[in-house]
Amino acid sequence: MILVKKIKVKNALGLHTRPAATIVKLLQPLKSSVSFTYKEETINARSIMSILMLAAKKNAQITITIEGVDAELAMRRLIAAFEEEFGEK
Amino acid sequence: MYLVQHLFEQHGKHLGLDLLAGAPGLARRINRAEVHRPGLSLMGYMKGFVSSRILVFGKQEIEYLKELDSPTRDLRLKNILTTMTPAVITARGFRPPKEMVALCEKVHIPLFRANATATNLLSRITFLLLEEFCPSVTLHGTLVEVFGVGVLIQGESSVGKSEAALGLIERGHRLISDDVVRVKKKEGSSLIGSGPELTRHLMEIRGIGIINVAHLYGAVCVRHDKGIDIVVKLEEWDDQHFYDRVGLDEKFIDILGSSVPYHVLPVKPGRDVVLLLETIALNHRLKDMGYNSAKEFNAKWLEAISRRQRKRVLS
């Protein structure tokens, strides 16, 4: 199953090191392959360096693409993390 | 998307560009890696004129414009300076005619002056644009230079790409980029890989965190870019899979339409991945020099067999 969704970065500092680590951590137990697309650049969301490379600021629109058996669960958890501003509210 | 602004910011100094008018037009897109001297179109011949090219006015164009009367000059310039024109440059430090300045200001076309000659500008800008417009792709993997060979290490997350790269660096090889590699295919030549500016020479090692290789091991252990000569895929050892045992058949992988030698390297405890990667790189160099260990041995074997058969026939 392939899920695609656009999401906005809401926390003030953007996708810096801590949010990147949070994302990688929450994806670790899941099996699906997850990629982020921002400014015509598509990267593997399981890699901290790749997420950092995007340099996504606050309000950046990121396209999340998830493919795999637990795609729905992965998408739900990712959206929740983005919505909670990675605990930086 | 490449804007005039990018060209100006990145190469303006080097090209000696001086912005004279049309600053709001810096946000214009450059859609073609072409630079054009308007010559004929300036004389009114507009057939086949492509308006989305950067225009360079050299000595001849400027001299010709000077000979025209003001209304004609304005008309001819209006024909070629359209909303599609990304930018206009006058060469040899020529001061552009006032009609040109006014027009560029009005239609928001960035107007530059440069000291170099038109021919020089033409070749330099075309070269820069070709470089910018060449096909590129971002790959997941780690690029290391091992004994002068560009090795792209790929594989699933947590298979040990970064750890293998760290081991190689420790033995004096060089890191180009960890985890994310931008690959460009240069005009007709090889694939060049480099790291993104922001995360250059940084590595993420599980259990340690983010480290800066250039600071830890020194500038000798890093490189800005490197051609990709071989791709090695690390994967967890699978007993069901038959791994290459002889190396007679070479495998290739396609990157941007170029085929690159490809090896699958199974990883399991006790296998020294760093040593294996070094061996793959050395073997590649040997092949490049015209010596293929596997093929050479096979030829020797076949010869030995035929010699034995001959002996048997003779006796």
Side-chain angles (χ1 to χ4, degrees), chain A:
Chain A
M1 188 197 320
I2 303 177
L3 293 177
V4 181
K5 196 171 164 57
K6 268 192 176 175
I7 196 159
K8 203 190 230 178
V9 177
K10 289 184 171 172
N11 61 316
L13 296 172
L15 290 187
H16 64 102
T17 319
R18 277 181 203 287
T22 311
I23 291 168
V24 171
K25 194 175 159 195
L26 81 84
L27 289 178
Q28 203 171 356
L30 303 173
K31 289 194 177 66
S32 301
S33 70
V34 184
S35 61
F36 288 179
T37 308
Y38 175 58
K39 284 192 179 169
E40 298 169 23
E41 197 104 58
T42 301
I43 55 100
N44 180 349
R46 289 178 187 276
S47 146
I48 291 191
M49 281 300 156
S50 306
I51 299 176
L52 290 176
M53 185 213 77
L54 291 180
K57 298 179 291 232
K58 187 183 174 164
N59 294 330
Q61 281 279 1
I62 291 187
T63 311
I64 305 177
T65 311
I66 309 182
E67 188 178 355
V69 280
D70 47 13
E72 263 176 60
L73 179 66
M75 186 61 93
R76 256 204 319 274
R77 288 196 186 166
L78 268 177
I79 290 171
F82 272 83
E83 290 297 326
E84 283 164 19
E85 304 185 9
F86 308 100
E88 292 181 356
K89 251 183 193 173

Side-chain angles (χ1 to χ4, degrees), chain B residues 42 65 68-81 97-104 106:
Chain B
L42 214 50
L65 280 175
L68 298 175
D69 56 70
S70 181
T72 323
R73 192 154 52 214
D74 195 44
L75 182 75
R76 298 277 172 85
L77 283 172
K78 263 185 189 151
N79 274 341
I80 61 167
L81 302 183
K98 59 180 187 301
E99 291 85 353
M100 195 197 271
V101 180
L103 198 63
C104 285
K106 195 177 140 204

Side-chain angles (χ1 to χ4, degrees), chain B residues 1 10 13 19 25 44 52 56 63 97 111 115 134 138 166 181 193 198 205 210 249 255 270 293 296 308:
Chain B
M1 192 164 54
Q10 290 164 12
K13 224 176 201 171
L19 183 64
S52 55
V56 174
E63 296 283 340
L111 172 63
N115 283 327
C134 61
T138 306
L166 196 61
V181 182
L198 195 63
I205 304 284
I210 295 170
D249 303 312
I255 300 177
S293 312
E296 210 88 359
R308 263 182 221 176

Side-chain angles (χ1 to χ4, degrees), chain B residues 95-141:
Chain B
R95 187 181 308 202
K98 59 180 187 301
E99 291 85 353
M100 195 197 271
V101 180
L103 198 63
C104 285
E105 206 62 85
K106 195 177 140 204
V107 201
H108 297 327
I109 303 172
L111 172 63
F112 300 101
R113 184 162 62 176
N115 283 327
T117 60
T119 319
N120 184 303
L121 285 170
L122 234 55
S123 65
R124 273 156 75 193
I125 300 175
T126 311
F127 181 76
L128 290 172
L129 290 180
L130 277 177
E131 195 121 305
E132 206 54 56
F133 281 74
C134 61
S136 71
V137 67
T138 306
L139 295 179
H140 184 57

